[in-house]
Amino acid sequence: MVNNTINEETFLVGEFSMTTFPDIDNERKSYQNSELNLIPEDYSLLTDLYQLTMVTCYVGEGIEQKQASFELFVRRLPDGFGYLIAMGLAQALEYLTKFRFNDSQIAALQETGIFTHANERFWQLLRKGCFTGDVWAVAEGTAVFANEPMIRVEAPLWQAQIVETYLLNTLNYQTLIATKAARLRDIAGEKATLLEFGTRRAFSPQASLWAARAALAGGLDATSNVLAALQLGQKPSGTMAHALVMALSALEGSEEQAFTVFHQYFPDAPLLIDTYDPVAAAEKLAEKVNSGNLELSGVRLDSGDLVSLSKQVRSLLPNISIFASGDLDEWEISRLKKEGAEIDSYGLGTKLVTGSPVNGVYKLVDIDGIPVMKESIGKFTYPGKKQIFRSFIDGKIEKDRLGLIAETYKNEQALLQLVMKDGKPLLTPETLTIIRQRTGASVATLSAETRRLENPISAQVEISNKLQKMIEKTKKQ
């Protein structure tokens, strides 16, 4: 279909309608899509350019099929964190399973002009290739520490290299959210209801879905993100906004009428009472509750001095659940509890889905059976394929030992397990309930010093003698 007025061409690629504008050479830019939506067919292109340029070099040198091992880990924990909760493995395995390049993607890469010196075998590799490697990983919901690999990819060099960007994207972000969710649950306690409200502050629509998943797996009870909840087989949860109260108050005469209307349609949802005067609103609601004219499930406070307001509301509505929201995080919940706030439930949004990033890295540790390491100042890495060995005393982590994959230690749990073989997943996808339970159990094994918010101390991580010898040998080489 051609529109001669603006000289543009519209055509279909996959599921999208794409509009392109000819450049000075009148060549079609066949992968333009101003909507920037993501579909599984595009996973292979969601990568950094240097992954593709490195693969070009590997092919040119004839080493692309050499067996390589890359490990994903963090060199240091985010400030104020004593541990991380590994998360995102399910999406990583799904990505690897669907990793393919189709003809239109290859054509789009060729049209960039970047790969004019690439060997023809490079294009053949992309056209026919898929992920055929093995993956070792710690289970989602497991506590890990600095320099401990959450995942290891063992595959032909070109495959192990090119998947780096996507793996880092999903594991870094979901691990951050799951860790913050676990800390929130730890501070708030098991009886508190914690709801994820972060969609509007997440870094993208895709990130909002991953944030909801990771938050639920990390210990939260529900999410307000309707799409995420339904895709995860969960029931979405939410309250109401100030706009409804203001609109109905203006059009129908009062805040009280706004409450009546909302309660008529959603009798189990809490009422937002701080649009105007929260104490006055609570007083009017209390009159109706006490007279038997209203069965109220809860009220929500979204601003103001939550300690003082919650105490006043509790005195007026002693048997009604009080829900609090408004830029809350684990530090603020800790403060509220210490100061005696009367709050039963919390809505977590901005500070849950944003914040200090988990700065995971993905580094080559072995190529063609040769251990390799990085010695840059501040960016040192350990060589060889590794395993995490964890020991416990009285149900608490005694220490972790970072050793080589072939090592074994009596009474120490090996955390990295084979989860994909020859490109085929070995595990049945786990439910959020199972992962959430594992998260809670894993946090319970941490010491109080590791779990605390102020100046946490991570669990001890030792380097095994065999790994230490490999480090010294690799340095000499």
Side-chain angles (χ1 to χ4, degrees):
M1 178 174 64
V2 177
N3 184 327
N4 292 324
T5 304
I6 59 175
N7 191 29
E8 73 175 31
E9 181 182 13
T10 302
F11 54 95
L12 294 176
V13 177
E15 299 179 10
F16 295 122
S17 173
M18 301 189 182
T19 302
T20 67
F21 295 84
D23 61 13
I24 57 175
D25 296 322
N26 201 33
E27 294 179 351
R28 174 181 292 179
K29 297 286 188 181
S30 61
Y31 230 77
Q32 289 185 8
N33 174 16
S34 60
E35 294 181 2
L36 288 178
N37 289 328
L38 178 65
I39 57 174
E41 289 80 0
D42 286 337
Y43 283 172
S44 56
L45 285 181
L46 190 60
T47 188
D48 291 305
L49 176 62
Y50 74 3
Q51 312 293 4
L52 291 165
T53 58
M54 284 189 284
V55 170
T56 302
C57 295
Y58 297 153
V59 173
E61 295 301 303
I63 63 172
E64 75 279 4
Q65 298 296 347
K66 296 288 186 181
Q67 195 71 9
S69 296
F70 285 76
E71 292 180 346
L72 191 157
F73 59 95
V74 299
R75 291 192 178 95
R76 60 190 64 86
L77 302 179
D79 290 343
F81 282 48
Y83 65 93
L84 293 176
I85 296 296
M87 197 64 64
L89 177 62
Q91 284 64 47
L93 296 181
E94 180 73 10
Y95 159 72
L96 294 173
T97 301
K98 295 182 177 180
F99 181 81
R100 299 287 192 284
F101 283 92
N102 60 40
D103 289 341
S104 63
Q105 291 168 339
I106 291 173
L109 288 173
Q110 291 173 331
E111 287 169 3
T112 66
I114 295 172
F115 300 91
T116 55
H117 299 292
N119 191 303
E120 178 58 30
R121 289 194 305 111
F122 169 72
W123 302 113
Q124 295 174 0
L125 192 70
L126 297 189
R127 190 171 287 110
K128 298 179 181 179
C130 61
F131 184 78
T132 62
D134 300 345
V135 177
W136 293 73
V138 300
E140 291 189 290
T142 302
V144 294
F145 309 104
N147 294 308
E148 296 186 334
M150 287 184 274
I151 188 171
R152 181 172 59 256
V153 174
E154 302 175 359
L157 178 58
W158 80 272
Q159 296 176 25
Q161 180 71 73
I162 207 169
V163 301
E164 172 185 5
T165 301
Y166 195 96
L167 296 183
L168 283 171
N169 184 280
T170 183
L171 268 79
N172 277 342
Y173 189 58
Q174 289 202 53
T175 295
L176 170 65
I177 305 306
T179 306
K180 291 172 74 68
R183 285 155 58 90
L184 284 160
R185 171 57 67 195
D186 198 24
I187 293 299
E190 288 301 317
K191 293 183 179 180
T193 298
L194 304 180
L195 304 183
E196 187 273 318
F197 281 2
T199 298
R200 65 188 63 191
R201 300 288 190 266
F203 295 132
S204 71
Q206 176 66 75
S208 75
L209 300 179
W210 283 354
R213 175 187 186 270
L216 294 176
L220 270 61
D221 295 289
T223 176
S224 66
N225 187 313
V226 177
L227 177 60
L230 297 181
Q231 288 189 343
L232 293 167
Q234 305 288 309
K235 186 177 180 179
S237 180
T239 57
M240 61 193 295
H242 295 290
L244 182 139
V245 177
M246 291 188 290
L248 292 181
S249 296
L251 297 174
E252 301 194 14
S254 69
E255 180 185 42
E256 186 176 358
Q257 181 62 21
F259 291 157
T260 299
V261 171
F262 186 78
H263 188 266
Q264 174 184 347
Y265 294 104
F266 303 99
D268 296 327
L271 300 177
L272 179 61
I273 64 172
D274 70 335
T275 304
Y276 306 115
D277 184 336
V279 175
E283 289 174 343
K284 292 182 179 180
L285 289 172
E287 293 176 3
K288 288 191 172 184
V289 170
N290 294 334
S291 65
N293 293 323
L294 176 66
E295 292 185 7
L296 184 61
S297 65
V299 295
R300 175 184 166 199
L301 298 169
D302 189 53
S303 60
D305 183 342
L306 294 179
V307 175
S308 174
L309 288 175
S310 66
K311 289 180 178 180
Q312 293 179 74
V313 171
R314 177 69 80 210
S315 67
L316 294 166
L317 297 166
N319 300 314
I320 303 302
S321 177
I322 299 176
F323 184 97
S325 57
D327 290 336
L328 302 180
D329 59 16
E330 55 266 47
W331 285 277
E332 180 63 8
I333 291 177
S334 177
R335 183 190 70 82
L336 291 171
K337 292 185 66 175
K338 289 177 181 178
E339 295 183 13
E342 296 284 350
I343 298 173
D344 306 293
S345 307
Y346 300 89
L348 295 315
T350 301
K351 292 185 179 181
L352 170 63
V353 301
T354 62
S356 300
V358 169
N359 192 19
V361 295
Y362 181 86
K363 296 301 177 184
L364 182 69
V365 297
D366 184 282
I367 178 69
D368 201 27
I370 304 170
V372 297
M373 62 186 293
K374 185 175 180 179
E375 296 187 66
S376 303
I377 297 176
K379 294 188 175 182
F380 177 89
T381 63
Y382 297 120
K385 294 185 283 187
K386 293 174 285 299
Q387 179 61 275
I388 307 167
F389 301 96
R390 178 162 292 174
S391 58
F392 301 86
I393 293 182
D394 297 329
K396 299 292 184 180
I397 295 176
E398 175 191 18
K399 67 178 180 181
D400 278 4
R401 188 195 310 265
L402 191 60
L404 299 176
I405 190 67
E407 294 186 68
T408 58
Y409 294 93
K410 187 177 181 180
N411 299 324
E412 294 186 19
Q413 178 185 359
L415 298 188
L416 286 156
Q417 301 296 318
L418 185 64
V419 297
M420 176 175 273
K421 180 69 175 176
D422 299 328
K424 306 295 183 183
L426 299 178
L427 303 178
T428 301
E430 295 183 312
T431 65
L432 283 177
T433 298
I434 290 175
I435 302 172
R436 185 189 294 118
Q437 290 173 345
R438 182 183 296 120
T439 299
S442 191
V443 171
T445 66
L446 302 173
S447 68
E449 291 76 14
T450 298
R451 293 162 65 172
R452 69 191 183 196
L453 299 182
E454 299 296 333
N455 302 313
I457 300 174
S458 288
Q460 180 183 5
V461 180
E462 294 184 354
I463 303 300
S464 74
N465 291 334
K466 290 186 177 180
L467 177 55
Q468 187 60 50
K469 290 179 180 178
M470 178 176 283
I471 293 171
E472 294 168 1
K473 182 179 179 181
T474 305
K475 281 184 177 181
K476 292 179 181 179
Q477 292 175 337

